[in-house]
Amino acid sequence: GDSVLDLPTIRDSLRALWQSANYAADTPQVDRKETGGFIVLDATGNYSFQAFQGGSSSPCGLDFPPDYTPPLGAVAFVHTHPWKLNEVQTSCPGIIFNGVELHINYGGHASEDDEIIARDKWHIPGYILDASGITQFDGVNQERRYKDPCWY
């Protein structure tokens, strides 16, 4: 339970966001994508969701223009990691060890880039949606994992 994520308008938006990631256990990894947006609080106290505009997306990340900024009133950003916990990420660059590329297993955590954006660039917390749940992070190594993804 999260008081903002549990709002019907936000839940509906996050459900649509997850669907746009094109995740299914049998979907080829190259056909999945990270996608996201902002949770915005307006002057009247209502929350809404605004999708990211511009930039590029792949199964392994999002790239934004250097001057990309959150909209006015943004209180958090949300993005997908189109993986389930411990899934081997064969479509992402691996680690080279003794000349052999080793692919990593998805761990369900914010990446270093995610943490830098939250802590140093946008100064708002983030949420990650994946096939195993939701992770909230603030860029200061404080994460909270919601383990029930059944609502999306």
Side-chain angles (χ1 to χ4, degrees):
D2 179 285
S3 61
V4 175
L5 296 185
D6 289 340
L7 294 170
T9 56
I10 299 300
R11 278 190 179 234
D12 290 346
S13 296
L14 298 185
R15 186 176 296 115
L17 181 69
W18 180 244
Q19 290 171 350
S20 73
N22 200 32
Y23 174 84
D26 59 350
T27 301
Q29 291 183 9
V30 297
D31 294 335
R32 304 174 192 177
K33 66 178 183 175
E34 287 198 19
T35 185
F38 297 98
I39 297 174
V40 178
L41 178 62
D42 70 20
T44 64
N46 293 311
Y47 288 93
S48 63
F49 182 81
Q50 292 183 23
F52 291 149
Q53 301 295 315
S56 62
S57 174
S58 76
C60 308
L62 293 161
D63 288 313
F64 300 104
D67 59 347
Y68 194 81
T69 58
L72 184 65
V75 296
F77 70 103
V78 182
H79 70 289
T80 62
H81 283 181
W83 313 98
K84 67 180 176 193
L85 286 177
N86 297 314
E87 182 175 5
V88 179
Q89 296 174 285
T90 58
S91 64
C92 297
I95 300 166
I96 306 298
F97 182 74
N98 288 335
V100 177
E101 184 175 25
L102 305 173
H103 295 282
I104 62 169
N105 291 11
Y106 173 67
H109 300 286
S111 69
E112 185 176 341
D113 287 343
D114 294 337
E115 292 180 357
I116 289 169
I117 288 171
R119 180 186 61 240
D120 301 330
K121 186 168 182 177
W122 292 344
H123 309 286
I124 54 176
Y127 293 91
I128 297 167
L129 308 181
D130 64 34
S132 304
I134 300 172
T135 299
Q136 179 186 22
F137 63 97
D138 63 9
V140 191
N141 296 324
Q142 304 230 354
E143 290 188 346
R144 178 176 178 195
R145 182 90 175 153
Y146 302 88
K147 298 193 184 212
D148 183 9
C150 66
W151 62 267
Y152 63 86

